[in-house]
Amino acid sequence: MTKFLKGNYTLDVTIDETGDGEAMQTVEEFERKALSRLGGSICFVSKKGFLWKGEDGARTSDRQPS
Amino acid sequence: MELGRQIASRLKEATFERVVAAGLSNAEINGPRIQRSVLELSRLRLGAGDSAIVVGAGPSLHRRRSLERLRASGYAGTVVAVDGALGACLRAGVVPHVVVSVDPHRERIVRWFGDPALSAAPADDYFRRQEMDPAHAADELSANRALLRLVDAHGASIRVAVATSAAPEVVARCAAAGMELFWWNPMYDDYDRSESVSLRLHRANGLPCLNGGGNVGTAAWVIAHAVLEKRRVALLGIDFSYPPGTPYERTQYYPELRALFGDRFAEAYVSLEHPVLKERWFCDPAYWWFRDVFLEMAREAECRTVNCTEGGILFGDPIELAPLEDFLADVRAGAGVTPSERT
């Protein structure tokens, strides 16, 4: 803001300026929280099969994910 | 793209945001109760043959009298029910082999098993508002008392495929009713990533992670074919939507949509014409996402999926539509159901 406007006066209060990036983050955060209220009761993970039994590679799925 | 579909396209991440904290918290509390893995279910003799019927709690379940027809048929295969359909199953004389529960909500879900602590109609209108189980909508306290008795009477012959995310109140209720518990982890994220929640959870409790597809109905279908290894799976009461004429106020996400969009809330619903019934059903963004995910998952599954719901919005390749009696006849004949739209 200060790079566009110059005043010939002084203010008694301190202005807490929020940068554009920070504002965008706040909007995204709000959207994320709002949307989370519309989500399901369990996650879905794309292309990871139906059942993963563990790190030994014994994931079971009817078909391997493409 | 219309608003509802736009929202639906973002619900994968939103669901993670919604459930991960509560799910992990419940998993920690449930830890001491975990004894058996869901994989043990595949070694039990649960119903005859290679078929299963998955029972959801959608409005078609009672509109089509699906459970009464199933009971009358003498079907000998496996019945897997979602927690929300347990009461309807037992009232119709259908005792499911397996009941699936996953939702981490601490107050609501125990009601599907009969809540021993319920002494007055709660302020939360979740059950009164919706058509999932009309018995609850009519008189919550009487319905709860009757359900307590039914679940207590049949608990010993029902197995629960319970997610570690499930509410401890649900776990305690199932155990008190004599149900055997078989555990699994919800797949929260890509277990191949080093910071994966799923990976961390699996390392902590050793349980398999199951890809749930957004909702308990899809999770029940996954259990039917990927755990129980059934190759012909019929769906009942899996509408993922509301029948034409349902007031918005009686839909699952109405309060949230109203709060988010104000007077424009109706724009968030998506509608679709059923190809056989020629009725226009409508759904929340969440249900549209469930539909998309189910179709994607069904294309990867080696089972045949026959939707005998006779309503709703779950249709499209590779899902077959058929009346329940056609599926049952083909099971008896040992044949597959011919792909059709015979609802």
Side-chain angles (χ1 to χ4, degrees):
Chain A
M1 183 74 83
T2 49
K3 64 183 173 180
F4 302 115
L5 296 175
K6 299 282 185 190
N8 57 358
Y9 51 87
T10 55
L11 293 173
D12 295 333
V13 295
T14 307
I15 306 294
D16 180 19
E17 291 193 50
T18 303
D20 287 351
E22 199 176 326
M24 283 293 286
Q25 270 190 340
T26 306
V27 170
E28 282 175 18
E29 175 74 4
F30 172 79
E31 280 189 358
R32 208 160 50 85
K33 294 274 185 205
L35 282 176
S36 74
R37 298 171 64 193
L38 303 179
S41 56
I42 182 172
C43 292
F44 167 62
V45 187
S46 301
K47 302 187 184 304
K48 300 308 289 186
F50 295 105
L51 195 61
W52 179 64
K53 291 180 180 174
E55 293 168 278
D56 58 358
R59 179 184 64 221
T60 64
S61 63
D62 291 327
R63 288 180 187 152
Q64 291 299 308
S66 52
Chain B
M1 189 193 296
E2 60 189 280
L3 180 62
R5 296 182 200 217
Q6 275 180 27
I7 297 168
S9 69
R10 297 178 61 184
L11 290 184
K12 186 175 157 188
E13 292 74 20
T15 298
F16 181 87
E17 178 88 12
R18 183 187 203 203
V19 301
V20 70
L24 293 181
S25 170
N26 287 349
E28 197 171 334
I29 298 168
N30 291 330
R33 285 188 179 270
I34 295 172
Q35 292 182 332
R36 308 179 74 174
S37 160
V38 75
L39 299 177
E40 293 183 44
L41 283 175
S42 65
R43 296 199 286 271
L44 303 178
R45 285 187 167 275
L46 301 175
D50 71 345
S51 73
I53 292 180
V54 172
V55 184
S60 291
L61 196 63
H62 59 91
R63 286 172 171 253
R64 298 289 175 186
R65 298 183 54 78
S66 304
L67 289 166
E68 290 76 5
R69 290 156 57 196
L70 176 63
R71 171 89 171 99
S73 75
Y75 174 67
T78 309
V79 177
V80 180
V82 305
D83 46 12
L86 175 61
C89 284
L90 296 180
R91 285 194 297 275
V94 174
V95 181
H97 296 91
V98 179
V99 172
V100 182
S101 194
V102 57
D103 194 308
H105 200 285
R106 297 291 296 264
E107 289 88 35
R108 286 177 177 168
I109 306 305
V110 67
R111 293 279 301 283
W112 297 133
F113 299 87
D115 181 359
L118 187 73
S119 55
D124 180 4
D125 69 347
Y126 184 79
F127 293 93
R128 293 189 295 273
R129 193 175 71 238
Q130 297 178 70
E131 201 177 348
M132 287 185 292
D133 190 338
H136 283 277
D139 181 347
E140 286 186 270
L141 292 180
S142 296
N144 186 62
R145 281 193 295 271
L147 186 55
L148 278 163
R149 287 193 293 272
L150 269 176
V151 172
D152 285 342
H154 295 284
S157 48
I158 298 172
R159 289 137 294 265
V160 187
V162 60
T164 54
S165 58
E169 291 77 5
V170 167
V171 175
R173 169 67 184 128
C174 291
M179 297 169 157
E180 280 187 283
L181 301 171
F182 296 84
W183 294 86
W184 50 280
N185 291 321
M187 193 184 290
Y188 287 101
D189 55 5
D190 182 352
Y191 48 78
D192 283 327
R193 292 168 53 187
S194 58
E195 73 280 16
S196 163
V197 171
S198 311
L199 178 62
R200 188 154 44 93
L201 192 55
H202 169 75
R203 283 177 175 166
N205 62 26
L207 292 170
C209 297
L210 189 138
N211 207 346
N215 68 97
V216 66
T218 303
W221 169 77
V222 171
I223 285 171
H225 71 85
V227 175
L228 302 179
E229 298 176 345
K230 300 299 178 180
R231 290 295 166 255
R232 287 180 286 177
V233 182
L235 309 176
L236 294 180
I238 306 281
D239 294 281
F240 291 158
S241 56
Y242 309 102
T246 304
Y248 289 126
E249 296 78 15
R250 297 181 69 86
T251 62
Q252 186 170 350
Y253 291 84
Y254 169 74
E256 288 84 3
L257 291 172
R258 187 89 206 197
L260 282 172
F261 300 110
D263 291 341
R264 294 186 60 194
F265 74 94
E267 294 174 33
Y269 291 87
V270 183
S271 68
L272 197 61
E273 185 177 277
H274 191 284
V276 178
L277 302 173
K278 304 298 180 193
E279 293 175 342
R280 203 154 188 93
W281 289 59
F282 70 101
C283 66
D284 320 290
Y287 284 7
W288 188 259
W289 178 58
F290 299 162
R291 173 187 191 268
D292 276 352
V293 167
F294 197 108
L295 291 173
E296 181 181 331
M297 294 177 90
R299 285 191 280 271
E300 296 294 323
E302 279 188 354
C303 71
R304 302 182 70 177
T305 301
V306 185
N307 190 352
C308 302
T309 295
E310 302 170 15
I313 59 167
L314 184 57
F315 46 81
D317 180 51
I319 292 174
E320 302 163 24
L321 295 178
L324 174 62
E325 285 71 19
D326 283 16
F327 177 78
L328 296 171
D330 287 338
V331 167
R332 277 193 295 272
V337 175
T338 305
S340 66
E341 292 181 345
R342 294 173 288 172
T343 299

